[in-house]
Amino acid sequence: MFLTISTTGTPERPATDLGFLLHKHPDKAQTFSTSYGTAHVLYPEATVERCTAALLLEVDAVALVRRGKGKGRGGAPDAALAQYVNDRPYAASSLLAVALSGVFSSAMKGQCTARPELPAEARPLRVEVPALPARGGADLVRGLFEPLGWTVTVEAVPLDEQFPEWGDSRYVRLELAAEGLTLAEALRHLYVLLPVLDDAKHYWVSSDEVDKLLRAGEGWLPDHPEHKLITSRYLSRRWSLTREAMERLELVRLAETDDTEVEEIDNAVDEENDTEEKPVPLAVLRRDAILTALHASGASRVLDLGCGQGQLVQALLKDTRFTEIVGVDVSIRALTIASRRLKLDRMGERQAARVQLFQGSLAYTDRRLKGYDAAVLSEVIEHLDLPRLPALEYAVFGSARPRTVLVTTPNVEYNVRWETLPAGHSRHGDHRFEWTREEFRSWAREVAGRHGYDVEFTPVGLDDPEVGPPTQMAVFTLATADTTAKKEEKAA
């Protein structure tokens, strides 16, 4: 299996910077052992004007059978002889994708210790793969790579050049060219799309493949027009894994959407008249209400579930009463922005010990969420489809079970007060629902009853006598023997 990556340069920006990015010196030929053979990295050319790195993977067909699907975990080939005599060791596939991630792992992550500024720089790139299985032909190759900014040159390989009447094989020669991509982006595209085009993997696909896909697809896969096909093929068409991946991709897409609500638009209009006193943004009022409720609960260890870009985490850090703060979000990109907002890399040791951010989906139970005093779901539930709410409910109230849970969500009745919001429209395009006060209270009381919590309701913002407040908040408190007895006494 063979693949080359080339770039061009100038004396001010030499092409040999490719060596720094790949962490492989252009003057050396290096060899790496893999589970299925030997990978070689060499540079056919390395000048200031042009530099090419080649990855050559020699496959051990016997090791491939012994370690891979030949054991029966994913289904053996149709014929025993085909396990040892076939064309797959000579064409790019998931074997080459795994070699890319192993040999160029730092480059794929966008890391360069010697020249830390290089990974973020877009540069002219050219990738060539002389033999690539493409189940779907040239049209599929273009459909996968062109939306990512690649110029695609693809040529079908005939079954036999001496007998053109036999037609084309399922292999193609592929050349990709791009000007506006970083090397890390290019490697992640190849890592995902090579096995997708092959529509096969040489190893058993398990649940950890979903995490690999989301990591490599960060920043491009959720919005790719063929993301469903990519997800299904990458996960070997295992429907349970594909469904999980699609749900998480949807959550990522929602989390990465700029959550600008209607009141912020109104505030922008108000800025035209500087003589008037500007109202306090609803987002600020919401954070203040959450902090007040957390103080009243006596919580010191707090979860911010669906923390987004870290605004609430930042506010919690300013209050020394909160000794441990955890931000959880499904979007790695949002967590990266939150990390920058909090300046975690420059934070003092004592302050850094109080906060941590980690990736996770609220649709699944997570042991890391157990044992905390309080959890906050601020403007989160309305971004989920209603059939997904029971999963979130169990993950938070049934599994994690913090002593206090705060849930805020828009009050749809208040929407008539927004002059900039057309009738019948939600406050945000990604809101799957917006509840009335009664609908929210009914849901909250049912959740509390199912999981042993008491619940009270607090308005956030101006409590309009006709339509209520713009935001409604439910404060769930885990019921104790004392509170249960008092509740029964009051009922009697």
Side-chain angles (χ1 to χ4, degrees):
M1 300 181 184
F2 190 70
L3 175 148
T4 61
I5 303 173
S6 304
T7 188
T8 56
T10 63
E12 295 77 21
R13 194 186 184 202
T16 48
D17 283 348
L18 184 63
F20 287 102
L21 288 166
L22 293 175
H23 290 249
K24 305 293 181 288
H25 199 288
D27 292 337
K28 297 179 181 179
Q30 297 177 263
T31 301
F32 305 88
S33 295
T34 73
S35 300
Y36 304 98
T38 304
H40 305 271
V41 177
L42 58 148
Y43 288 77
E45 56 183 338
T47 66
V48 170
E49 292 77 21
R50 182 176 174 84
C51 185
T52 299
L55 174 63
L56 172 64
L57 180 61
E58 291 183 295
V59 177
D60 183 341
V62 175
L64 178 62
V65 172
R66 288 175 177 171
R67 293 174 176 267
K69 291 185 176 182
K71 288 187 175 182
R73 297 182 68 188
D78 294 334
L81 185 61
Q83 296 182 6
Y84 297 91
V85 183
N86 57 70
D87 59 352
R88 293 188 59 78
Y90 310 104
S93 68
S94 63
L95 287 167
L96 188 58
V98 171
L100 277 172
S101 67
V103 176
F104 300 138
S105 60
S106 296
M108 190 175 292
K109 295 174 185 175
Q111 299 173 350
C112 181
T113 304
R115 300 278 300 280
E117 76 283 358
L118 287 182
E121 295 179 1
R123 59 183 54 245
L125 294 171
R126 185 180 183 88
V127 176
E128 297 183 46
V129 187
L132 173 67
R135 299 178 187 271
D139 290 340
L140 179 60
V141 177
R142 295 189 187 95
L144 294 182
F145 282 100
E146 287 181 347
L148 300 174
W150 293 100
T151 299
V152 179
T153 303
V154 58
E155 177 186 354
V157 176
L159 280 172
D160 193 316
E161 293 183 353
Q162 295 183 2
F163 299 95
E165 65 272 15
W166 289 3
D168 295 329
S169 69
R170 64 185 179 94
Y171 297 95
V172 298
R173 297 185 184 93
L174 176 64
E175 295 181 4
L176 303 171
E179 296 286 337
L181 295 175
T182 66
L183 179 64
E185 290 172 329
L187 291 174
R188 289 197 292 267
H189 296 167
L190 293 169
Y191 175 76
V192 172
L193 297 181
L194 288 181
V196 166
L197 284 168
D198 192 3
D199 198 14
K201 284 198 170 184
H202 67 277
Y203 57 87
W204 176 251
V205 175
S206 57
S207 58
D208 62 343
E209 290 296 298
V210 177
D211 295 326
K212 294 179 184 178
L213 175 62
L214 295 184
R215 282 196 298 268
E218 182 185 356
W220 63 270
L221 181 56
D223 296 322
H224 195 292
E226 298 291 346
H227 68 278
K228 293 181 180 179
L229 173 69
I230 293 170
T231 301
S232 176
R233 284 194 172 196
Y234 185 87
L235 298 171
S236 296
R237 302 182 186 273
R238 292 190 60 189
W239 70 268
S240 59
L241 298 182
T242 302
R243 182 180 63 182
E244 177 188 345
M246 292 299 298
E247 290 172 352
R248 291 175 62 179
L249 283 172
E250 179 65 9
L251 290 173
V252 169
R253 190 183 68 81
L254 295 177
E256 292 182 349
T257 304
D258 183 14
D259 196 10
T260 303
E261 294 194 352
V262 177
E263 76 276 6
E264 294 171 341
I265 301 174
D266 288 338
N267 291 340
V269 174
D270 291 340
E271 288 179 1
E272 296 179 2
N273 188 350
D274 292 335
T275 61
E276 296 182 6
E277 184 179 353
K278 298 176 184 178
V280 178
L282 181 56
V284 175
L285 295 174
R286 186 185 303 121
R287 282 197 293 273
D288 290 345
I290 290 170
L291 291 172
T292 299
L294 289 174
H295 291 162
S297 73
S300 60
R301 303 174 68 244
V302 180
L303 294 167
D304 182 6
L305 304 178
C307 66
Q309 299 179 6
Q311 292 92 333
L312 178 59
V313 174
Q314 187 176 42
L316 292 170
L317 270 174
K318 294 178 181 178
D319 193 327
T320 56
R321 279 176 284 193
F322 303 113
T323 59
E324 185 176 350
I325 304 153
V326 176
V328 183
D329 204 279
V330 72
S331 169
I332 296 177
R333 178 177 178 270
L335 292 172
T336 300
I337 296 173
S339 178
R340 292 173 183 167
R341 175 191 296 274
L342 300 172
K343 299 181 175 63
L344 290 182
D345 56 337
R346 289 177 280 171
M347 190 175 288
E349 183 177 350
R350 180 176 298 180
Q351 187 80 330
R354 296 175 57 212
V355 62
Q356 59 178 315
L357 305 174
F358 60 75
Q359 192 267 347
S361 170
L362 302 182
Y364 302 93
T365 59
D366 192 331
R367 294 180 181 178
R368 296 174 297 179
L369 305 184
K370 293 184 178 182
Y372 287 85
D373 299 329
V376 179
L377 290 159
S378 179
E379 308 301 285
V380 171
I381 61 173
E382 65 272 11
H383 287 281
L384 273 70
D385 291 317
L386 284 171
R388 300 298 299 163
L389 275 184
L392 177 144
E393 173 192 330
Y394 179 75
V396 176
F397 295 91
S399 177
R401 293 187 67 79
R403 191 172 66 243
T404 300
V405 181
L406 308 181
V407 180
T408 74
T409 192
N411 169 24
V412 70
E413 297 170 84
Y414 193 88
N415 287 358
V416 296
R417 296 291 188 257
W418 299 117
E419 296 179 359
T420 58
L421 183 64
H425 284 237
S426 297
R427 297 187 195 179
H428 190 278
D430 281 319
H431 284 182
R432 302 311 172 91
F433 62 86
E434 288 180 354
W435 275 333
T436 65
R437 287 168 290 173
E438 183 53 39
E439 287 171 331
F440 179 56
R441 292 181 180 188
S442 175
W443 172 81
R445 290 184 181 117
E446 290 176 2
V447 170
R450 281 193 290 266
H451 299 284
Y453 282 80
D454 296 322
V455 62
E456 297 181 353
F457 301 94
T458 302
V460 178
L462 177 65
D463 195 358
D464 189 289
E466 296 181 1
V467 297
T471 294
Q472 45 194 339
M473 180 167 70
V475 180
F476 296 84
T477 305
L478 194 59
T480 64
D482 290 340
T483 58
T484 302
K486 289 179 180 179
K487 189 174 182 180
E488 292 176 351
E489 182 180 348
K490 183 177 180 181

